[in-house]
């Protein structure tokens, strides 16, 4: 059928030219006589790949020198343990719970110390971001934790919380590289790459150096200790080499698009097309408070389950796939990450318009 | 230069037809209109991929129904923590230390309880496998741990240790699927896939069901608890989908080769060609006690560092790459995994013979 428009929340659409390059290099990467999958992680070839990936990411995000870039495994879920194990020196962390992933991080941290829910939007099915300008931050909080963009619910922090001087830790899995981040405002900014950057199985964590120490909780697995990975430049053991290689290609693609400021502009335009339609539609409604809308994940409903199902079915047949909402929310969700072209959003909206005319 | 003969110890050579298929499917997997990298791990497409991979692995290894197959992340190194966290109910584990990886597993387990070194071959640079017929197994040992094939040193357990009824746990990273294993003899048989099965970033762990419980050590990360992954069929969070897809293709390739008995026969033939030459050569010497030689990793030396370096350099130029020995041993090492064709070993030996004639 040829390529579809893939609105999956993750793993998700990747730039076509990245995939084409990867396919072309599969049997012989740049004259090495082998695939990147077959290369020793200690080889000069792979050393160049991982170093260049890090350099390009540093350029894109303007990462200060006192931050380490780590390529890790296990998804954000594994960081839900690793972060408290590495950071809970006082045994206290504050959580702003704006969705399932922040909630899971909060619950996991409770195993390792006192995890405090200082704000939540669970009262309204996580459809908004709470006011975070003056929260009761604990005096001895080791850090304040957020999930910056909520993939399932389609909300995003438009301003970072006032942490009153405490270290901010943010999971940015679903908004990673979708716009510029001011890295200096974070102690840790991290995410799984499988939404906006590359194939599942790689986590990128950007960590301020003073947070990388030997002083971790007793029983912290060696592999989960940040210092283990930082001291070896992510090569303590064999990293997920092929995934890192693909991420590196996406970084180069992003540079070619003009970097993160250009991506932000494009992502805002793409999201506006969809949200403007949702605001004017008599059938489709966005589920999120307007000012907290994500640029990446747009959930919407018709209010009628059967009609939702009909829409998803017909959209799929027309080549707009993975529009079914998350099982915990229902309805629909269009994830429009960096690699979703403008044309994909335009055509989706045209399709929705036609569907509305035919079914209202 | 075209494809080389890649003797890397891992990541390592993969079957050419697997790579060719992966390249051909990169833009559009079987009419899905997307790459496997872009697929939701909850999609029907990926569900078929992971279920079929598991089924093919169960066929190949003849895995009994009371064993779970888990696709995990973090390499064997992460299992060095996960295994004691899940299994150390009595707080005791016995280790047979036959190389760096077993030693690391032993040291890591010591964080979580009493790890006992019941045998070791470190006295002779791990060049042999100790007699394990009557070891002082602890009465309350939760398990006995081995690394079955030692990638760095080139040794392999030809008979499994007598565990006196205790659970055997084996890291088989570098001999996974190189020959049949009698899974019932193990409580856990596991390994990173990046040597003999697929790209780095996937660990396969085959675990007897009674070892998968909620009764884990306090502070065990949710992601490291076997039950988390077992209850969700390795889909608790996003797994390393693309890696699992490649592993699945390798399983199909192995079935086509005739399965593990046929691979064993082939691997024995390949290894014999190399070892026979080492035994007759006046220049090259194997470093391992003959009866403990690995079928997969063959270290050898000339006894002269400069000559070693000259050999590696000339071999590389001739298209025999990654023959340099591990940094902790020196000399040379030829890793001849499943995907190394017979022809590769024959040509290497012909090259060694010529080098010997020219340099003796």
């Amino acid at each position: 059928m040829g390529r579809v428009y893939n609105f999956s929340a993750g793993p998700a659409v990747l730039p076509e030219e990245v995939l084409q390059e990867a396919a072309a290099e599969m049997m012989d990467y740049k004259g090495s006589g082998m695939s990147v999958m077959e290369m020793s992680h200690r080889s000069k070839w792979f050393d160049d790949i991982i170093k260049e990936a890090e350099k390009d990411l540093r350029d894109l995000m303007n990462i200060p020198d006192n931050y380490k870039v780590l390529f890790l495994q296990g998804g954000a879920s594994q960081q839900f343990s690793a972060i408290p194990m590495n950071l809970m020196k006082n045994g206290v962390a504050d959580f702003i719970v704006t969705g399932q992933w922040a909630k899971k991080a909060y619950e996991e941290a409770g195993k390792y110390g006192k995890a405090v829910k200082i704000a939540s939007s669970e009262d309204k099915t996580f459809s908004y971001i709470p006011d975070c300008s003056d929260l009761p931050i604990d005096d001895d909080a080791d850090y304040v934790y957020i999930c910056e963009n909520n993939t399932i619910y389609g909300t995003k922090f438009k301003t970072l919380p006032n942490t009153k001087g405490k270290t901010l830790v943010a999971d940015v899995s679903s908004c990673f590289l979708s716009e510029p981040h001011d890295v200096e405002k974070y102690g840790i900014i991290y995410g799984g790459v499988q939404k906006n950057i590359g194939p599942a199985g790689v986590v990128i964590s950007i960590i301020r150096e003073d947070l990388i120490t030997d002083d971790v909780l007793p029983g912290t697995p060696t592999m989960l200790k940040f210092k283990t990975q930082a001291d070896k430049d992510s090569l303590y053991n064999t990293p997920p080499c092929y995934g890192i290689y693909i991420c590196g290609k996406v970084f180069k693609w992003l540079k070619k698009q003009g970097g993160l400021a250009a991506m932000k502009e494009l992502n805002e335009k793409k999201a506006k097309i969809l949200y403007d339609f949702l605001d004017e539609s008599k059938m489709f409604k966005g589920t999120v408070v307007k000012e907290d809308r994500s640029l990446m994940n747009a959930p919407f409903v018709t209010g009628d389950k059967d009609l939702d199902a009909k829409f998803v079915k017909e959209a799929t047949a027309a080549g707009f796939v993975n529009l079914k909402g998350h099982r915990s929310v229902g309805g629909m969700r269009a994830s429009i990450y960096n690699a979703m072209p403008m044309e994909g959003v335009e055509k989706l909206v045209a399709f929705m318009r036609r569907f509305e005319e035919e079914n209202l």
Side-chain angles (χ1 to χ4, degrees), chain A:
Chain A
M1 75 194 287
R3 299 269 298 169
V4 292
Y5 290 110
N6 178 9
F7 295 93
S8 174
V13 58
L14 289 169
E16 277 195 30
E17 63 185 83
V18 164
L19 296 172
Q20 273 156 354
E21 273 182 35
E25 292 170 353
M26 186 65 86
M27 304 309 293
D28 180 5
Y29 175 75
K30 296 190 176 176
S32 64
M34 62 183 84
S35 168
V36 172
M37 290 189 210
E38 302 174 292
M39 279 177 187
S40 168
H41 56 300
R42 310 272 175 215
S43 66
K44 178 78 176 72
W45 296 104
F46 186 71
D47 195 56
D48 286 349
I49 289 171
I50 192 168
K51 288 229 172 79
E52 199 159 324
E54 178 175 340
K55 188 190 166 301
D56 285 334
L57 182 64
R58 285 187 176 275
D59 290 350
L60 280 168
M61 293 184 71
N62 198 17
I63 299 172
D65 287 345
N66 64 326
Y67 283 72
K68 287 272 187 193
V69 173
L70 304 184
F71 295 94
L72 306 172
Q73 296 186 62
S77 297
Q78 192 157 303
Q79 295 306 305
F80 298 169
S81 318
I83 291 165
M85 286 180 132
N86 281 274
L87 261 53
M88 266 195 175
K89 322 276 180 187
N90 300 329
V92 182
D94 288 343
F95 287 78
I96 301 171
V97 176
T98 55
Q100 272 196 26
W101 298 109
K103 195 175 174 182
K104 281 195 176 186
Y106 158 70
E107 288 167 353
E108 187 78 1
K111 282 187 185 173
Y112 304 103
K114 187 178 145 201
V116 187
K117 197 194 292 182
I118 54 170
S120 168
S121 55
E122 196 165 9
D123 59 334
K124 293 182 182 163
T125 329
F126 299 120
S127 59
Y128 71 101
I129 298 289
D131 177 0
C132 298
S133 58
D134 185 19
L135 293 172
I137 310 283
D138 281 77
D139 283 342
D140 50 357
D142 291 301
Y143 60 95
V144 176
Y145 184 98
I146 62 168
C147 178
E148 193 163 325
N149 185 83
N150 297 283
T151 325
I152 297 176
Y153 303 97
T155 59
K156 179 175 187 290
F157 283 83
K158 298 296 165 78
T159 47
L160 292 176
N162 174 4
T163 64
K164 302 181 179 174
K166 301 298 182 192
T167 296
L168 178 64
V169 175
D171 171 0
V172 296
S173 297
S174 52
C175 61
F176 224 154
L177 304 183
S178 64
E179 58 182 280
H181 282 279
D182 187 352
V183 174
E184 283 193 333
K185 291 190 174 154
Y186 304 81
I188 301 180
I189 175 168
Y190 84 98
V193 305
Q194 74 275 10
K195 295 171 188 298
N196 221 359
I197 306 182
V202 183
V203 165
I204 297 175
S205 189
I206 301 160
I207 311 181
R208 212 176 53 223
E209 279 175 352
D210 62 285
L211 300 174
I212 302 172
T213 69
D214 277 316
D215 177 24
V216 299
L217 297 190
T220 301
T222 298
M223 279 290 291
L224 267 59
K225 186 172 149 181
F226 296 147
K227 196 158 189 304
T228 304
Q229 306 288 354
D231 284 352
K232 299 285 186 179
D233 295 323
S234 307
L235 293 168
Y236 170 73
N237 70 340
T238 320
C241 301
Y242 197 77
I244 293 169
Y245 154 75
I246 299 289
C247 292
K249 286 193 180 296
V250 172
F251 300 154
K252 293 227 177 285
W253 178 82
L254 286 167
K255 282 180 138 179
K256 229 163 61 180
Q257 310 305 305
L260 301 192
M263 287 318 297
K264 182 182 188 195
E265 206 183 313
L266 183 63
N267 286 327
E268 283 173 343
K269 275 188 198 155
K270 275 156 49 182
K272 188 171 189 311
I273 293 171
L274 183 52
Y275 286 128
D276 281 354
F277 172 72
L278 291 175
D279 289 341
E280 76 182 40
S281 166
K282 292 192 173 59
M283 175 182 279
F284 298 103
K285 297 270 161 273
T287 58
V288 164
V289 167
K290 278 189 196 184
E291 55 272 28
D292 298 329
R293 281 171 168 170
S294 164
L295 288 182
M296 296 285 103
N297 313 96
F300 54 94
V301 294
T302 64
D304 174 337
K305 273 191 170 183
D306 294 337
L307 199 58
D308 286 351
K310 185 172 190 242
F311 172 77
V312 169
K313 195 178 164 191
E314 292 185 15
T316 303
F320 306 100
V321 310
N322 290 321
L323 282 165
K324 200 172 167 204
H326 188 270
R327 59 197 185 286
S328 69
V329 180
M332 280 74 68
R333 174 179 47 173
S335 294
I336 49 176
Y337 295 117
N338 282 341
M340 172 58 63
M342 176 73 78
E343 177 196 80
V345 182
E346 286 167 347
K347 288 191 177 167
L348 172 64
V349 167
F351 179 83
M352 289 169 77
R353 207 182 291 278
R354 217 156 47 237
F355 183 88
E356 178 168 342
E357 283 161 14
E358 288 166 12
N359 291 277
L360 202 64

